[in-house]
Amino acid sequence: MEVTAVGEEANRGDRLGFGQRCCSLRSSNPWLYRTAGIFPEHCTEEKKIGPYFRVAPQASKSQRSRCHGRAASEARPGEATAAAYGRPFPTHPRRQEFRARVVRGPTMLVTAYLAFVGLLASCLGLELSRCRAKPPGRACSNPSFLRFQLDFYQVYFLALAADWLQAPYLYKLYQHYYFLEGQIAILYVCGLASTVLFGLVASSLVDWLGRKNSCVLFSLTYSLCCLTKLSQDYFVLLVGRALGGLSTALLFSAFEAWYIHEHVERHDFPAEWIPATFARAAFWNHVLAVVAGVAAEAVASWIGLGPVAPFVAAIPLLALAGALALRNWGENYDRQRAFSRTCAGGLRCLLSDRRVLLLGTIQALFESVIFIFVFLWTPVLDPHGAPLGIIFSSFMAASLLGSSLYRIATSKRYHLQPMHLLSLAVLIVVFSLFMLTFSTSPGQESPVESFIAFLLIELACGLYFPSMSFLRRKVIPETEQAGVLNWFRVPLHLLACLGLLVLHDSDRKTGTRNMFSICSAVMVMALLAVVGLFTVVRHDAELRVPSPTEEPYAPEL
């Protein structure tokens, strides 16, 4: 990257212009000035502003020549300031947002597109070869079942597409509104906290309100969440994150509950067909995520609204999903179980079975690291000119590749067990995090290496989630799954929130590297838990994959 004095001067102009606009509004709100990185009394005195923004207001000719006489690649931001004032100015950790403009090369752009095309081609090849090798199951030959599936998929896939469309540009949007990394971390913490709080009561809420009504409520609350992104007010954005947590809890409870009840109670289809529906939905969920990343990149670049464009584009999808649910779905309810009884039963199961306790430990450690990775990938790659939508699509393609490899590894030809693949996934993440501790060293950043490490993490996620899902189904009794999963989520989100709060109080560059180091230690602990689980279940025939000829769920193109 090249930093030029011209870029530094332009950046100074942008910052002063924003400060003058704040003063012209005569606002007495200190939050506005803190967000702008200035104070009211600094708006009119350039000499006071200069040291704060590390730009010399009146540097002498000889002082300016020290920067201009050197090659542009050797110039450093703020050197003119240091020359003018005779001392270097420390970079305040809360003012890292206002950096000198940089001239970015095409390295990350080319790397992102090449990785995306390569991963997509690999996934397509694996899926086509698998579909040719395996004939369709008996569930696919029933016309009534296919119509019922289609009614469900129309609504569910629209909801998932709207959710994925927002993911690539969430951090970038907050950055676009001039919020600092610490402020953005608090927004993410608010979202995680609301997810865990609403997640604890989501199943009871859905049973009381009705499954179809809950899906319509999801469309309304998520649309409101998207609308809050149009505001630059911090409190409004916090409310939007809380609405997003409620919407996420409804998305992953109401839709599946509605389908299972309709499948068994109203249509009387065989219960063995349910896994086929959700496995196919999981495959197309990955495909939708890949497409959503490309679509987000397109609308953010072409519509002219900037990073808020994907959130605006998600609203029609949510409205259509709610309308289709109202028109095509019937309402169903279920007998409510007391929340206290659900949690008490889950806690008893958790403490009485060592396998369940170890599974919960692995899930909490692994997925908390993934939450922190979701927060950090944008500030690591975006300063180097990475196309965020394509980067996100590459991540999702890597995850899809991992899922395809899981199905191949557990097939009749290789017959590996989910426990082996879970161990492999944790090992891959440990290695990737060690890579990130070196590739994010301050002053020695390597965005391509960081991107490769992120892809490996997503590949590991593609192996981890089906492995963990299989083991949970086998280890946790069906009647206690809701309560046990509630207890799993509490330490998971607490660890993720704690990590983000640590980032909130640290310097940006060293804080990022230190956080990856902490995540590496956490994943080593997860690896130890995997080893402990492996020693407990290595002779347990119940945790082995059934014969491939008996397994009904294989996604089809």
Side-chain angles (χ1 to χ4, degrees), residues 183-436:
Q183 296 168 326
I184 299 173
I186 295 299
L187 288 168
Y188 273 73
V189 168
C190 179
L192 288 174
S194 64
T195 298
V196 70
L197 289 176
F198 288 118
L200 292 173
V201 299
S203 57
S204 301
L205 175 65
V206 167
D207 291 340
W208 173 76
L209 190 62
R211 276 71 180 270
K212 185 181 84 168
N213 290 335
S214 298
C215 294
V216 176
L217 177 63
F218 158 81
S219 300
L220 293 174
T221 55
Y222 220 6
S223 298
L224 289 174
C225 174
C226 293
L227 287 174
T228 61
K229 301 300 189 293
L230 296 171
S231 172
Q232 298 187 31
D233 185 88
Y234 196 76
F235 179 75
V236 173
L237 293 173
L238 283 173
V239 172
R241 291 297 289 168
L243 288 171
L246 171 61
S247 304
T248 301
L250 292 173
L251 175 62
F252 295 108
S253 58
F255 288 86
E256 294 184 8
W258 179 89
Y259 177 83
I260 292 172
H261 186 278
E262 295 288 310
H263 181 105
V264 176
E265 301 295 334
R266 180 167 298 184
H267 294 278
D268 197 27
F269 293 127
E272 294 79 14
W273 292 1
I274 293 176
T277 297
F278 287 120
R280 196 169 294 114
F283 170 76
W284 287 106
N285 182 33
H286 277 104
V287 175
L288 285 171
V290 173
V291 174
V294 178
E297 181 72 24
V299 297
S301 302
W302 298 343
I303 288 183
L305 296 177
V308 77
F311 299 90
V312 175
I315 295 175
L317 299 179
L318 293 167
L320 183 58
L324 288 175
L326 279 173
R327 190 188 72 175
N328 298 335
W329 287 12
E331 185 58 276
N332 61 62
Y333 300 85
D334 197 8
R335 180 177 58 86
Q336 299 180 47
R337 185 183 180 187
F339 178 71
S340 58
R341 290 179 57 192
T342 300
C343 289
L347 184 60
R348 282 195 301 270
C349 179
L350 187 64
L351 298 178
S352 62
D353 192 337
R354 190 183 175 194
R355 301 176 304 170
V356 178
L357 184 61
L358 287 170
L359 267 183
T361 303
I362 295 166
Q363 178 173 333
L365 296 174
F366 187 97
E367 296 184 23
S368 62
V369 169
I370 298 304
F371 274 118
I372 295 172
F373 150 70
V374 168
F375 175 81
L376 285 176
W377 74 265
T378 302
V380 169
L381 298 179
D382 184 50
H384 303 281
L388 298 182
I390 301 302
I391 292 287
F392 180 81
S393 291
S394 301
F395 290 164
M396 295 300 101
S399 181
L400 177 58
L401 180 61
S403 298
S404 300
L405 291 175
Y406 172 86
R407 288 190 293 273
I408 292 173
T410 55
S411 65
K412 185 178 180 180
R413 181 176 180 181
Y414 299 101
H415 207 56
L416 291 177
Q417 297 305 315
M419 194 66 235
H420 302 143
L421 298 175
L422 180 66
S423 306
L424 178 61
V426 175
L427 275 173
I428 291 173
V429 175
V430 171
F431 173 74
S432 303
L433 291 169
F434 276 119
M435 281 182 64
L436 287 165

